[in-house]
Amino acid sequence: SRSELTMPTEYVLAPYRSPYSAFAWFVLQRYKNEWKDKVTIDLKPFFLGGVMKATKNKPPGLAIPPKVRYLAGDLKRNR
């Protein structure tokens, strides 16, 4: 088994208010024991709203009606 110092580390930037980030977090939790000797994952949450405001952008899930409908289906499938 490789030591943690030589193990590759993946840094995942995750908007903490995104439902898709929640889905990814649950997958990471599901497989963390299987992956523990292969990779270290370091989550770095950030506030997507701040990024959107700074770039004068709108969250795509709220600005595009078909994406809102798709998100609703994703939420039902991933309970």
Side-chain angles (χ1 to χ4, degrees):
S1 174
R2 299 184 312 192
S3 74
E4 190 170 337
L5 294 175
T6 61
M7 197 178 309
T9 300
E10 295 294 327
Y11 294 96
V12 179
L13 299 176
Y16 64 86
R17 293 189 66 183
S18 166
Y20 294 101
S21 292
F23 300 156
W25 185 85
F26 284 114
V27 169
L28 291 171
Q29 296 308 302
R30 185 181 316 141
Y31 293 106
K32 71 180 177 182
N33 288 332
E34 185 175 330
W35 296 341
K36 70 181 177 187
D37 294 329
K38 299 175 182 127
V39 67
T40 300
I41 298 174
D42 188 5
L43 296 176
K44 302 286 187 190
F46 69 93
F47 180 50
L48 184 59
V51 173
M52 291 294 175
K53 185 175 181 180
T55 59
K56 297 182 175 89
N57 207 338
K58 292 183 181 177
L62 301 177
I64 303 169
K67 286 191 177 189
V68 173
R69 290 190 298 276
Y70 194 82
L71 172 62
D74 283 342
L75 292 173
K76 287 179 186 175
R77 283 189 293 277
N78 287 284
R79 287 186 189 188

Coordinates of all heavy atoms in Angstrom, one line a residue:
S1 N 0.8 -1.2 0.0 CA 0.0 0.0 0.0 C 0.9 1.3 0.0 O 1.8 1.4 0.8 CB -0.9 0.0 1.2 OG -1.6 1.2 1.3
R2 N 0.5 2.2 -0.9 CA 1.3 3.4 -0.9 C 1.0 4.3 0.2 O -0.1 4.3 0.8 CB 1.0 4.2 -2.2 CG 1.4 3.3 -3.4 CD 1.2 4.0 -4.7 NE -0.1 4.7 -4.8 CZ -0.6 5.1 -5.9 NH1 0.1 5.1 -7.0 NH2 -1.8 5.7 -6.0
S3 N 1.9 5.1 0.7 CA 1.7 6.0 1.8 C 0.8 7.2 1.3 O 0.8 7.5 0.1 CB 3.0 6.6 2.4 OG 3.5 7.5 1.5
E4 N 0.1 7.8 2.2 CA -0.7 9.0 1.8 C 0.1 10.1 1.2 O -0.5 10.8 0.3 CB -1.5 9.4 3.0 CG -2.6 10.4 2.6 CD -3.5 10.7 3.8 OE1 -3.6 9.9 4.7 OE2 -4.2 11.8 3.7
L5 N 1.3 10.3 1.5 CA 2.1 11.3 1.0 C 2.4 11.1 -0.5 O 2.6 12.1 -1.3 CB 3.4 11.5 1.7 CG 3.3 11.9 3.2 CD1 4.7 11.9 3.9 CD2 2.7 13.3 3.3
T6 N 2.5 9.9 -1.0 CA 2.8 9.6 -2.4 C 1.5 9.4 -3.2 O 1.6 9.2 -4.4 CB 3.7 8.5 -2.6 OG1 3.1 7.3 -2.0 CG2 5.0 8.7 -1.9
M7 N 0.4 9.3 -2.5 CA -0.9 9.0 -3.2 C -1.4 10.2 -3.9 O -1.3 11.4 -3.4 CB -1.9 8.6 -2.1 CG -3.1 7.9 -2.6 SD -4.2 7.5 -1.3 CE -3.2 6.6 -0.2
P8 N -1.9 10.1 -5.2 CA -2.4 11.2 -5.9 C -3.6 11.8 -5.1 O -4.4 11.1 -4.5 CB -2.9 10.7 -7.2 CG -2.7 9.2 -7.2 CD -2.0 8.8 -5.9
T9 N -3.7 13.1 -5.2 CA -4.8 13.8 -4.5 C -5.6 14.5 -5.6 O -5.0 15.2 -6.4 CB -4.3 14.9 -3.5 OG1 -3.5 14.2 -2.5 CG2 -5.4 15.6 -2.9
E10 N -6.9 14.3 -5.6 CA -7.8 15.0 -6.5 C -8.5 16.1 -5.7 O -9.0 15.8 -4.6 CB -8.9 14.0 -7.0 CG -8.3 12.9 -7.9 CD -7.7 13.5 -9.2 OE1 -8.3 14.5 -9.7 OE2 -6.8 12.9 -9.7
Y11 N -8.4 17.3 -6.2 CA -9.1 18.4 -5.5 C -10.3 18.7 -6.3 O -10.3 18.9 -7.5 CB -8.2 19.7 -5.5 CG -7.0 19.5 -4.6 CD1 -5.8 19.1 -5.1 CD2 -7.1 19.7 -3.3 CE1 -4.7 18.9 -4.3 CE2 -6.0 19.5 -2.4 CZ -4.8 19.1 -3.0 OH -3.7 19.0 -2.2
V12 N -11.5 18.6 -5.7 CA -12.8 18.8 -6.3 C -13.4 20.1 -5.8 O -13.6 20.2 -4.6 CB -13.7 17.6 -6.0 CG1 -15.0 17.8 -6.7 CG2 -13.1 16.2 -6.4
L13 N -13.6 21.0 -6.7 CA -14.2 22.2 -6.4 C -15.7 22.0 -6.6 O -16.2 21.6 -7.6 CB -13.8 23.4 -7.3 CG -12.3 23.7 -7.2 CD1 -11.9 24.7 -8.2 CD2 -11.9 24.1 -5.8
A14 N -16.5 22.2 -5.5 CA -17.9 21.8 -5.5 C -18.7 23.0 -5.0 O -18.6 23.4 -3.9 CB -18.1 20.6 -4.7
P15 N -19.7 23.5 -5.8 CA -20.6 24.5 -5.3 C -21.5 23.9 -4.3 O -22.2 22.9 -4.6 CB -21.3 25.0 -6.6 CG -21.2 23.9 -7.6 CD -19.9 23.2 -7.2
Y16 N -21.5 24.3 -3.1 CA -22.2 23.6 -2.0 C -23.7 23.7 -2.0 O -24.4 23.1 -1.3 CB -21.6 24.0 -0.6 CG -21.8 25.4 -0.2 CD1 -22.9 25.8 0.4 CD2 -20.8 26.3 -0.4 CE1 -23.1 27.1 0.9 CE2 -20.9 27.6 0.0 CZ -22.1 28.0 0.7 OH -22.2 29.3 1.1
R17 N -24.2 24.5 -2.9 CA -25.7 24.7 -3.0 C -26.3 24.0 -4.2 O -27.4 24.0 -4.4 CB -26.1 26.1 -3.0 CG -25.8 26.8 -1.7 CD -26.3 28.2 -1.6 NE -27.8 28.1 -1.6 CZ -28.6 29.1 -1.6 NH1 -28.1 30.3 -1.5 NH2 -29.9 29.0 -1.6
S18 N -25.4 23.3 -5.0 CA -25.9 22.6 -6.2 C -26.3 21.2 -5.9 O -25.6 20.5 -5.2 CB -24.7 22.6 -7.2 OG -25.0 21.7 -8.2
P19 N -27.5 20.9 -6.4 CA -28.0 19.5 -6.1 C -27.0 18.5 -6.8 O -26.9 17.4 -6.3 CB -29.4 19.4 -6.7 CG -29.6 20.7 -7.5 CD -28.5 21.7 -7.1
Y20 N -26.4 18.9 -7.9 CA -25.5 17.9 -8.6 C -24.2 17.7 -7.7 O -23.7 16.6 -7.8 CB -25.2 18.4 -10.0 CG -26.4 18.4 -10.9 CD1 -27.1 19.5 -11.2 CD2 -26.8 17.2 -11.4 CE1 -28.2 19.5 -11.9 CE2 -28.0 17.1 -12.2 CZ -28.7 18.3 -12.4 OH -29.8 18.2 -13.2
S21 N -23.8 18.7 -7.0 CA -22.7 18.5 -6.1 C -23.1 17.5 -5.0 O -22.3 16.7 -4.5 CB -22.3 19.8 -5.4 OG -21.7 20.7 -6.4
A22 N -24.3 17.6 -4.5 CA -24.8 16.6 -3.5 C -24.8 15.2 -4.1 O -24.3 14.3 -3.4 CB -26.2 17.0 -3.1
F23 N -25.2 15.0 -5.3 CA -25.2 13.7 -6.0 C -23.7 13.2 -6.0 O -23.5 12.1 -5.7 CB -25.7 13.7 -7.4 CG -27.1 14.2 -7.6 CD1 -27.6 14.7 -8.8 CD2 -28.1 14.1 -6.5 CE1 -28.9 15.2 -8.9 CE2 -29.4 14.5 -6.7 CZ -29.8 15.0 -7.9
A24 N -22.8 14.1 -6.4 CA -21.4 13.7 -6.5 C -20.9 13.3 -5.1 O -20.1 12.4 -5.0 CB -20.6 14.8 -7.1
W25 N -21.2 14.1 -4.1 CA -20.8 13.8 -2.7 C -21.2 12.4 -2.3 O -20.4 11.7 -1.7 CB -21.3 14.9 -1.8 CG -20.7 14.7 -0.4 CD1 -19.5 15.2 0.1 CD2 -21.3 14.1 0.7 NE1 -19.4 14.8 1.4 CE2 -20.5 14.1 1.8 CE3 -22.5 13.4 0.8 CZ2 -20.8 13.6 3.0 CZ3 -22.8 12.8 2.1 CH2 -21.9 12.9 3.1
F26 N -22.4 12.1 -2.6 CA -22.9 10.7 -2.2 C -22.2 9.6 -2.9 O -21.9 8.6 -2.3 CB -24.4 10.6 -2.4 CG -25.2 11.4 -1.3 CD1 -26.0 12.5 -1.6 CD2 -25.2 11.0 0.0 CE1 -26.7 13.1 -0.7 CE2 -25.9 11.6 1.0 CZ -26.7 12.7 0.7
V27 N -21.9 9.8 -4.2 CA -21.1 8.8 -4.9 C -19.7 8.7 -4.3 O -19.2 7.6 -4.1 CB -21.0 9.2 -6.4 CG1 -20.0 8.3 -7.1 CG2 -22.4 9.0 -7.0
L28 N -19.1 9.8 -4.0 CA -17.7 9.8 -3.4 C -17.8 9.1 -2.0 O -16.9 8.3 -1.7 CB -17.2 11.2 -3.2 CG -16.8 11.9 -4.4 CD1 -16.5 13.4 -4.1 CD2 -15.6 11.3 -5.1
Q29 N -18.8 9.3 -1.2 CA -19.0 8.6 0.0 C -19.2 7.1 -0.2 O -18.6 6.3 0.6 CB -20.1 9.2 0.9 CG -19.9 10.6 1.3 CD -18.6 10.8 1.9 OE1 -18.3 10.2 3.0 NE2 -17.8 11.7 1.4
R30 N -19.9 6.7 -1.2 CA -20.2 5.3 -1.5 C -18.9 4.5 -1.8 O -18.8 3.4 -1.4 CB -21.2 5.2 -2.6 CG -21.6 3.8 -2.9 CD -22.6 3.8 -4.1 NE -23.6 4.8 -4.0 CZ -24.1 5.5 -5.1 NH1 -23.6 5.2 -6.3 NH2 -25.0 6.4 -5.0
Y31 N -18.0 5.2 -2.5 CA -16.8 4.5 -3.0 C -15.5 4.8 -2.2 O -14.5 4.3 -2.5 CB -16.6 4.8 -4.5 CG -17.7 4.1 -5.3 CD1 -18.6 4.9 -5.9 CD2 -17.7 2.8 -5.5 CE1 -19.6 4.4 -6.7 CE2 -18.7 2.2 -6.3 CZ -19.7 3.0 -6.9 OH -20.7 2.4 -7.6
K32 N -15.6 5.6 -1.2 CA -14.4 6.1 -0.5 C -13.6 4.9 0.1 O -12.3 5.0 0.0 CB -14.7 7.1 0.6 CG -15.4 6.6 1.8 CD -15.6 7.8 2.8 CE -16.4 7.3 4.0 NZ -16.7 8.4 4.9
N33 N -14.2 3.9 0.6 CA -13.4 2.8 1.1 C -12.7 2.0 0.0 O -11.6 1.5 0.2 CB -14.3 1.8 2.0 CG -14.7 2.5 3.3 OD1 -14.0 3.3 3.8 ND2 -15.9 2.1 3.8
E34 N -13.4 1.9 -1.1 CA -12.8 1.1 -2.2 C -11.6 1.9 -2.8 O -10.7 1.3 -3.3 CB -13.9 0.9 -3.3 CG -13.5 0.1 -4.5 CD -14.6 -0.2 -5.4 OE1 -15.8 -0.2 -5.0 OE2 -14.3 -0.3 -6.6
W35 N -11.7 3.2 -2.8 CA -10.7 4.1 -3.4 C -9.6 4.5 -2.4 O -8.6 5.1 -2.8 CB -11.3 5.3 -4.0 CG -12.3 5.1 -5.2 CD1 -12.3 3.9 -5.9 CD2 -13.2 5.9 -5.6 NE1 -13.3 4.1 -6.9 CE2 -13.9 5.3 -6.7 CE3 -13.7 7.2 -5.3 CZ2 -14.9 5.9 -7.4 CZ3 -14.7 7.8 -6.0 CH2 -15.3 7.2 -7.1
K36 N -9.7 4.2 -1.2 CA -8.9 4.8 -0.1 C -7.4 4.5 -0.4 O -6.6 5.3 0.0 CB -9.3 4.3 1.3 CG -9.0 2.9 1.5 CD -9.4 2.5 2.9 CE -9.2 1.0 3.2 NZ -9.7 0.6 4.4
D37 N -7.0 3.4 -1.0 CA -5.6 3.1 -1.2 C -5.1 3.6 -2.6 O -4.0 3.5 -2.9 CB -5.3 1.6 -1.1 CG -5.5 1.1 0.3 OD1 -5.3 1.9 1.2 OD2 -5.9 0.0 0.4
K38 N -6.0 4.2 -3.4 CA -5.7 4.6 -4.7 C -5.6 6.1 -4.9 O -4.8 6.6 -5.7 CB -6.7 4.1 -5.7 CG -6.7 2.5 -5.7 CD -7.9 2.0 -6.5 CE -7.8 0.5 -6.4 NZ -9.1 0.0 -6.1
V39 N -6.4 6.9 -4.1 CA -6.5 8.3 -4.3 C -7.1 9.0 -3.1 O -7.8 8.4 -2.3 CB -7.4 8.7 -5.6 CG1 -8.8 8.4 -5.3 CG2 -7.2 10.2 -5.9
T40 N -6.6 10.2 -2.8 CA -7.2 11.0 -1.7 C -8.0 12.1 -2.4 O -7.5 12.8 -3.3 CB -6.0 11.6 -0.9 OG1 -5.3 10.6 -0.3 CG2 -6.6 12.5 0.2
I41 N -9.2 12.3 -1.9 CA -10.0 13.3 -2.5 C -10.2 14.4 -1.5 O -10.6 14.1 -0.4 CB -11.4 12.7 -3.0 CG1 -11.1 11.7 -4.1 CG2 -12.3 13.9 -3.4 CD1 -12.4 10.9 -4.5
D42 N -9.9 15.6 -1.8 CA -10.0 16.8 -1.0 C -11.1 17.7 -1.5 O -10.8 18.4 -2.5 CB -8.7 17.4 -0.8 CG -8.6 18.5 0.2 OD1 -9.6 18.7 0.9 OD2 -7.6 19.2 0.3
L43 N -12.2 17.8 -0.9 CA -13.3 18.6 -1.4 C -13.1 20.1 -1.0 O -12.7 20.3 0.2 CB -14.7 18.1 -0.9 CG -15.1 16.8 -1.3 CD1 -16.4 16.4 -0.7 CD2 -15.3 16.7 -2.9
K44 N -13.3 21.0 -1.9 CA -13.1 22.4 -1.6 C -14.4 23.1 -2.0 O -14.6 23.5 -3.1 CB -12.0 23.0 -2.5 CG -10.6 22.3 -2.3 CD -10.1 22.7 -0.9 CE -8.6 22.2 -0.8 NZ -8.1 22.3 0.5
P45 N -15.3 23.2 -1.0 CA -16.6 23.8 -1.4 C -16.5 25.3 -1.6 O -15.6 26.0 -1.1 CB -17.5 23.6 -0.1 CG -16.5 23.3 1.0 CD -15.3 22.8 0.3
F46 N -17.3 25.9 -2.5 CA -17.3 27.3 -2.7 C -18.8 27.7 -2.9 O -19.6 26.9 -3.2 CB -16.4 27.7 -3.9 CG -16.9 27.2 -5.2 CD1 -17.7 28.0 -6.0 CD2 -16.6 26.0 -5.7 CE1 -18.1 27.6 -7.3 CE2 -17.0 25.5 -6.9 CZ -17.8 26.4 -7.7
F47 N -19.0 29.0 -2.8 CA -20.3 29.6 -3.0 C -20.5 30.0 -4.4 O -20.0 31.0 -4.9 CB -20.5 30.8 -2.0 CG -21.9 31.4 -2.1 CD1 -23.0 30.6 -2.1 CD2 -22.0 32.8 -2.2 CE1 -24.3 31.2 -2.1 CE2 -23.2 33.4 -2.3 CZ -24.4 32.6 -2.3
L48 N -21.3 29.2 -5.2 CA -21.5 29.5 -6.6 C -22.2 30.9 -6.8 O -22.0 31.6 -7.8 CB -22.3 28.4 -7.2 CG -22.5 28.5 -8.7 CD1 -21.2 28.5 -9.5 CD2 -23.4 27.3 -9.2
G49 N -23.1 31.2 -5.9 CA -23.8 32.5 -6.0 C -22.8 33.7 -6.1 O -23.0 34.6 -6.8
G50 N -21.7 33.6 -5.3 CA -20.7 34.7 -5.3 C -20.0 34.7 -6.7 O -19.7 35.8 -7.2
V51 N -19.8 33.6 -7.3 CA -19.1 33.5 -8.6 C -20.1 34.1 -9.6 O -19.7 34.9 -10.5 CB -18.7 32.1 -9.0 CG1 -18.3 32.0 -10.4 CG2 -17.7 31.5 -8.0
M52 N -21.4 33.7 -9.6 CA -22.4 34.2 -10.5 C -22.5 35.7 -10.4 O -22.6 36.4 -11.4 CB -23.7 33.6 -10.3 CG -23.8 32.1 -10.6 SD -23.5 31.9 -12.4 CE -23.5 30.1 -12.5
K53 N -22.5 36.2 -9.2 CA -22.6 37.7 -9.0 C -21.4 38.4 -9.5 O -21.5 39.4 -10.2 CB -22.8 38.0 -7.5 CG -23.1 39.5 -7.2 CD -23.4 39.7 -5.8 CE -23.7 41.1 -5.5 NZ -24.0 41.4 -4.1
A54 N -20.2 37.9 -9.2 CA -19.0 38.6 -9.6 C -18.9 38.6 -11.2 O -18.3 39.5 -11.7 CB -17.8 37.8 -9.0
T55 N -19.4 37.6 -11.8 CA -19.3 37.5 -13.3 C -20.6 38.0 -14.0 O -20.7 37.9 -15.2 CB -19.1 36.0 -13.8 OG1 -20.1 35.2 -13.3 CG2 -17.7 35.5 -13.2
K56 N -21.5 38.6 -13.2 CA -22.8 39.1 -13.7 C -23.5 38.0 -14.5 O -24.0 38.3 -15.6 CB -22.6 40.3 -14.5 CG -22.0 41.5 -13.7 CD -21.8 42.7 -14.5 CE -21.4 43.9 -13.6 NZ -20.0 44.0 -13.4
N57 N -23.6 36.8 -14.0 CA -24.2 35.7 -14.6 C -25.4 35.2 -13.8 O -25.6 35.6 -12.7 CB -23.1 34.5 -14.7 CG -23.3 33.6 -15.9 OD1 -24.4 33.5 -16.4 ND2 -22.3 32.9 -16.2
K58 N -26.2 34.4 -14.4 CA -27.3 33.8 -13.7 C -27.2 32.3 -13.7 O -26.7 31.7 -14.7 CB -28.6 34.1 -14.5 CG -29.0 35.5 -14.4 CD -30.4 35.7 -15.1 CE -30.7 37.2 -15.1 NZ -32.0 37.5 -15.8
P59 N -27.5 31.6 -12.6 CA -27.5 30.2 -12.6 C -28.3 29.6 -13.7 O -29.4 29.9 -13.9 CB -28.0 29.8 -11.2 CG -28.0 31.1 -10.4 CD -28.1 32.2 -11.4
P60 N -27.7 28.7 -14.5 CA -28.4 28.1 -15.6 C -29.7 27.4 -15.3 O -30.6 27.4 -16.0 CB -27.4 27.2 -16.3 CG -26.3 27.0 -15.3 CD -26.4 28.1 -14.4
G61 N -29.7 26.7 -14.1 CA -30.9 26.0 -13.7 C -32.1 26.9 -13.5 O -33.2 26.4 -13.6
L62 N -31.9 28.1 -13.2 CA -33.0 29.0 -12.9 C -33.3 29.9 -14.1 O -34.4 30.4 -14.2 CB -32.7 30.0 -11.7 CG -32.3 29.2 -10.4 CD1 -32.0 30.3 -9.4 CD2 -33.5 28.4 -10.0
A63 N -32.4 30.1 -15.0 CA -32.6 30.9 -16.2 C -33.2 30.2 -17.4 O -33.7 30.9 -18.3 CB -31.3 31.6 -16.5
I64 N -33.1 28.9 -17.4 CA -33.5 28.2 -18.6 C -34.5 27.1 -18.2 O -34.2 26.1 -17.6 CB -32.2 27.5 -19.3 CG1 -31.2 28.5 -19.6 CG2 -32.7 26.7 -20.5 CD1 -29.9 28.0 -20.0
P65 N -35.8 27.4 -18.6 CA -36.9 26.5 -18.1 C -36.7 25.0 -18.4 O -37.0 24.2 -17.5 CB -38.1 27.1 -18.9 CG -37.8 28.5 -19.1 CD -36.3 28.5 -19.3
P66 N -36.2 24.6 -19.6 CA -36.0 23.1 -19.7 C -35.0 22.5 -18.7 O -35.2 21.4 -18.3 CB -35.4 23.0 -21.2 CG -35.9 24.2 -21.9 CD -35.9 25.3 -20.8
K67 N -34.0 23.3 -18.3 CA -33.1 22.8 -17.3 C -33.7 22.6 -15.9 O -33.4 21.7 -15.2 CB -31.8 23.7 -17.2 CG -30.9 23.6 -18.4 CD -29.6 24.3 -18.1 CE -28.7 24.0 -19.3 NZ -27.3 24.5 -19.0
V68 N -34.7 23.5 -15.6 CA -35.4 23.4 -14.4 C -36.2 22.1 -14.4 O -36.3 21.4 -13.4 CB -36.4 24.6 -14.2 CG1 -37.3 24.4 -13.0 CG2 -35.6 25.9 -14.0
R69 N -36.9 21.8 -15.5 CA -37.6 20.6 -15.6 C -36.7 19.3 -15.5 O -37.1 18.4 -14.9 CB -38.4 20.5 -16.9 CG -39.6 21.5 -16.9 CD -40.5 21.3 -18.1 NE -39.9 21.5 -19.4 CZ -39.7 22.7 -20.0 NH1 -40.2 23.8 -19.4 NH2 -39.1 22.8 -21.2
Y70 N -35.6 19.4 -16.2 CA -34.6 18.3 -16.1 C -34.1 18.1 -14.7 O -34.0 17.0 -14.2 CB -33.5 18.6 -17.1 CG -32.6 17.4 -17.3 CD1 -33.0 16.4 -18.3 CD2 -31.4 17.2 -16.6 CE1 -32.2 15.3 -18.6 CE2 -30.6 16.1 -16.9 CZ -31.0 15.1 -17.8 OH -30.3 14.0 -18.1
L71 N -33.8 19.2 -14.0 CA -33.4 19.1 -12.6 C -34.4 18.4 -11.7 O -34.1 17.6 -10.9 CB -33.0 20.5 -12.1 CG -32.7 20.6 -10.6 CD1 -31.5 19.7 -10.2 CD2 -32.5 22.0 -10.2
A72 N -35.7 18.8 -12.0 CA -36.8 18.2 -11.2 C -36.8 16.6 -11.3 O -36.9 15.9 -10.4 CB -38.1 18.8 -11.6
G73 N -36.6 16.2 -12.6 CA -36.5 14.7 -12.8 C -35.3 14.1 -12.1 O -35.3 13.0 -11.6
D74 N -34.1 14.8 -12.2 CA -32.9 14.3 -11.5 C -33.1 14.2 -10.0 O -32.7 13.2 -9.4 CB -31.7 15.2 -11.8 CG -31.2 15.1 -13.2 OD1 -31.4 14.0 -13.8 OD2 -30.4 16.0 -13.6
L75 N -33.8 15.2 -9.4 CA -34.0 15.1 -8.0 C -34.9 13.9 -7.6 O -34.6 13.2 -6.6 CB -34.6 16.4 -7.5 CG -33.7 17.6 -7.6 CD1 -34.5 18.9 -7.3 CD2 -32.5 17.5 -6.7
K76 N -35.9 13.6 -8.4 CA -36.7 12.5 -8.1 C -36.0 11.2 -8.3 O -36.1 10.3 -7.5 CB -37.9 12.4 -9.1 CG -39.0 13.5 -8.8 CD -40.1 13.4 -9.8 CE -41.1 14.6 -9.6 NZ -42.1 14.6 -10.6
R77 N -35.1 11.1 -9.3 CA -34.3 9.8 -9.5 C -33.3 9.6 -8.5 O -32.9 8.4 -8.3 CB -33.7 9.9 -10.9 CG -34.6 9.6 -12.1 CD -33.8 9.5 -13.4 NE -33.1 10.7 -13.8 CZ -33.7 11.7 -14.5 NH1 -35.0 11.6 -14.8 NH2 -33.1 12.8 -14.8
N78 N -32.8 10.6 -7.8 CA -31.7 10.5 -6.9 C -32.0 10.6 -5.4 O -31.2 11.0 -4.6 CB -30.6 11.5 -7.3 CG -29.9 11.1 -8.5 OD1 -29.1 10.2 -8.5 ND2 -30.2 11.7 -9.7
R79 N -33.2 10.2 -5.1 CA -33.6 10.4 -3.7 C -32.9 9.3 -2.8 O -32.6 8.3 -3.2 CB -35.1 10.1 -3.5 CG -35.9 11.3 -4.1 CD -37.4 11.1 -3.8 NE -38.0 12.2 -4.5 CZ -39.3 12.5 -4.4 NH1 -40.0 11.7 -3.6 NH2 -39.8 13.4 -5.0

